[in-house]
Amino acid sequence: MSTVKACLAQKPQRLIQVSSTDSVYQALELMKTNRVRSILVIDADKLVGIVSQGDCAIRAFLAGLDAKTTPVAAIMTANPMTVKPGDPMELCMGVMATKNIRHLPVVAQDQVVGVVSIGDVVKQMMTDLGEHVSFLETYIKGHSV
């Protein structure tokens, strides 16, 4: 499997973010506009949290909070787990599986450089499996690689 850096190189270079003082409604609007299910919470260029559609639904809506007045800080996951560009995608898969999370911010030198999603991990696994199948077919047929 490849690295987080290689995965990010195949994705659009955009960070969708809110500040911790922005409203839950603003966060949901950004998710809708950008067709994503979570966004980063960044204050003064520092990652302070991540907020997902599930957080908005469960921690705000079901709790009876007003999405237009409730700050993201009230429902976000503070200090989220992160990965580094040089980390292998297997690490992301393991963290996502054991921690039951779908998005991992990627941090390099204290700056967020991207996000790896569960979809990215699945795509990478499919690519790797295809390469392994191709290698095995070549091996079985007796051709040199």
Side-chain angles (χ1 to χ4, degrees):
M1 219 176 231
S2 68
T3 64
V4 170
K5 182 178 180 178
C7 173
L8 292 179
Q10 298 175 20
K11 297 176 64 168
Q13 297 298 312
R14 62 185 174 131
L15 290 177
I16 302 160
Q17 65 189 55
V18 292
S19 74
S20 62
T21 57
D22 287 339
S23 71
V24 170
Y25 182 85
Q26 288 170 293
L28 283 168
E29 279 291 324
L30 275 174
M31 288 183 219
K32 178 182 143 192
T33 301
N34 292 282
R35 302 185 74 206
V36 295
R37 295 181 184 253
S38 73
I39 54 176
L40 303 171
V41 183
I42 296 178
D43 290 337
D45 294 328
K46 183 170 173 73
L47 178 68
V48 295
I50 190 167
V51 64
S52 69
Q53 288 177 339
D55 295 330
C56 295
I58 294 166
R59 295 179 183 169
F61 180 72
L62 288 179
L65 302 176
D66 182 355
K68 291 191 176 183
T69 59
T70 302
V72 170
I75 66 160
M76 72 181 187
T77 299
N79 304 311
M81 299 212 50
T82 63
V83 291
K84 298 183 269 315
D87 287 338
M89 289 297 285
E90 292 100 337
L91 175 69
C92 298
M93 183 173 46
V95 169
M96 289 175 175
T98 59
K99 300 296 183 182
N100 197 27
I101 56 178
R102 294 177 168 261
H103 298 89
L104 283 170
V106 182
V107 177
Q109 297 153 359
D110 294 327
Q111 293 293 313
V112 179
V113 296
V115 176
V116 173
S117 71
I118 190 73
D120 298 327
V121 172
V122 170
K123 286 177 194 171
Q124 186 60 53
M125 286 177 56
M126 290 173 54
T127 298
D128 289 349
L129 286 172
E131 290 172 1
H132 289 153
V133 167
S134 178
F135 172 80
L136 289 172
E137 286 174 343
T138 302
Y139 177 77
I140 289 169
K141 291 177 184 175
H143 297 119
S144 63
V145 182

